[in-house]
Amino acid sequence: MTDKGYKDGIFPTSRLRIAVTGKGGVGKTIISALISRVLSRQGRKILLVDADPAMGLSYILGAETDRSVGSFRDRVISEPQLKRELGSVRIKDVLIREALVKLHDAELLIMGKEESSECYCGVNSVLKYGIGSIASDYDVMLIDCEAGLEQIHRRVLNTVDTLFVVTDMSVRGMKTAIQIKKIVESGSAIEDCQRFGLILNRMKGDAAPLLTMAEEVGLEVFGSIPEDDHVTSLDREGLPIDNLSEMSSSLGAVRRILSSLNLF
Ligand SMILES: Nc1ncnc2c1ncn2[C@@H]1O[C@H](COP(=O)(O)OP(=O)(O)O)[C@@H](O)[C@H]1O
Ligand SMILES: [Mg+2]
């Protein structure tokens, strides 16, 4: 498999906007990191967005940083000089300078803590605009979501075209996935979702009962990722995803899923 360049005909011009959702602890962050690794090694320019306040993605990418959009917003509110600068230079340039984290094969925006209950709507909408204009510089934007349904309800994922909903082998994980499907189908949360499907993660043993649940509600299954000892070892040693062997079963499964969707 070649690592560089697009395959002919796949996204020569258009951008890909992916979000990874699901219940807490099912593997959203590791799967986001694996997707990023696969697509970046293909030569795509990737913007990762860590939209979970728990900020697990930066950790698994080995990015030790205290930069985030949330802490930048706090500084804009408390530092008049920074606020003035936002009015005079492009918000995009300031965000890149102050909040973007450059990794060796992707770039990362950590959203950080939630907006405070006080309303900073002006600042927030400026930041939203800035993030949108940063994203247009990338081939792929990949959002690792907060657990559950909240961000989908709040239309945070409004502009994604590809939504992966992840479950582990638990019925609770699957029930969350089914709820997400219902919200997406209601049409109120995402405008132009072209691909929506389930990834069954940490697969071992008999998946038939879960697959039946998916089938009963018409939830398309994009594929499964096995329980992977390589991932468990990384976890145990606290190592970033770069250390995962090319031969690991989880990475192979993610390649297969992306390939079956013509995304890789
Ligand atoms: N396929 C897998 N094989 C082994 N461990 C996994 C697998 N997927 C996820 N894990 C582990 O499960 C835990 C939760 O994964 P994480 O990606 O943080 O979930 P989420 O982001 O959905 O909360 C982590 O310790 C992660 O390493
Ligand atoms: Mg996570």
Side-chain angles (χ1 to χ4, degrees):
M1 191 168 302
T2 58
D3 269 348
K4 285 269 165 249
Y6 292 105
K7 281 184 182 173
D8 282 343
I10 302 171
F11 297 111
T13 54
S14 65
R15 287 186 307 112
L16 178 59
R17 298 178 301 274
I18 307 173
V20 183
T21 63
K23 192 179 86 65
V26 293
K28 297 179 294 298
T29 297
I30 186 94
I31 291 172
S32 300
L34 291 169
I35 293 172
S36 172
R37 176 163 154 172
V38 169
L39 295 181
S40 69
R41 295 206 177 176
Q42 204 190 19
R44 297 228 184 112
K45 196 174 176 211
I46 317 262
L47 177 66
L48 286 163
V49 178
D50 185 350
D52 186 345
M55 299 194 296
L57 186 60
S58 44
Y59 187 74
I60 200 141
L61 297 170
E64 283 183 27
T65 178
D66 49 15
R67 283 178 155 225
S68 74
V69 175
S71 61
F72 174 61
R73 177 176 47 229
D74 290 348
R75 284 184 47 217
V76 172
I77 290 161
S78 63
E79 294 175 25
Q81 192 199 337
L82 200 52
K83 200 167 190 172
R84 271 197 302 278
E85 195 189 354
L86 277 190
S88 57
V89 291
R90 288 197 310 170
I91 166 68
K92 175 177 166 180
D93 297 335
V94 184
L95 258 180
I96 290 173
R97 191 189 70 209
E98 302 285 336
L100 195 71
V101 180
K102 291 184 193 287
L103 308 169
H104 80 265
D105 55 3
E107 285 166 16
L108 171 66
L109 266 184
I110 301 169
M111 298 310 291
K113 68 178 162 51
E114 288 290 295
E115 294 151 26
S116 93
S117 52
E118 289 173 67
C119 184
Y120 297 120
C121 304
V123 174
N124 285 328
S125 55
V126 169
L127 290 177
K128 211 167 166 184
Y129 172 77
I131 293 167
S133 53
I134 289 179
S136 65
D137 291 347
Y138 293 81
D139 301 316
V140 181
M141 177 170 76
L142 173 58
I143 308 173
D144 175 22
C145 297
E146 182 183 34
L149 314 172
E150 190 56 27
Q151 286 177 335
I152 298 194
H153 273 309
R154 286 194 353 244
R155 298 174 56 88
V156 173
L157 309 179
N158 188 17
T159 60
V160 304
D161 53 44
T162 302
L163 190 60
F164 293 126
V165 56
V166 181
T167 184
D168 56 12
M169 298 285 290
S170 73
V171 168
R172 278 186 37 204
M174 181 61 96
K175 283 189 170 164
T176 302
I178 291 170
Q179 276 178 290
I180 291 172
K181 175 178 188 284
K182 286 183 184 151
I183 300 170
V184 170
E185 278 177 354
S186 74
S188 61
I190 298 182
E191 265 160 31
D192 187 26
C193 189
Q194 292 164 26
R195 301 171 204 86
F196 174 73
L198 184 78
I199 296 179
L200 188 54
N201 187 30
R202 310 195 73 161
M203 169 110 138
K204 65 176 177 190
D206 183 12
L210 291 175
L211 293 175
T212 305
M213 278 176 81
E215 200 180 340
E216 276 169 4
V217 295
L219 175 55
E220 186 178 352
V221 180
F222 283 162
S224 63
I225 300 173
E227 175 77 23
D228 184 350
D229 292 343
H230 289 100
V231 171
T232 310
S233 318
L234 278 192
D235 240 355
R236 194 176 301 132
E237 292 166 46
L239 293 172
I241 194 85
D242 277 355
N243 292 273
L244 193 69
S245 155
E246 274 295 309
M247 307 305 290
S248 74
S249 56
S250 54
L251 199 52
V254 166
R255 278 199 203 97
R256 276 194 297 282
I257 291 169
L258 293 174
S259 167
S260 71
L261 296 170
N262 283 337
L263 301 179
F264 167 65

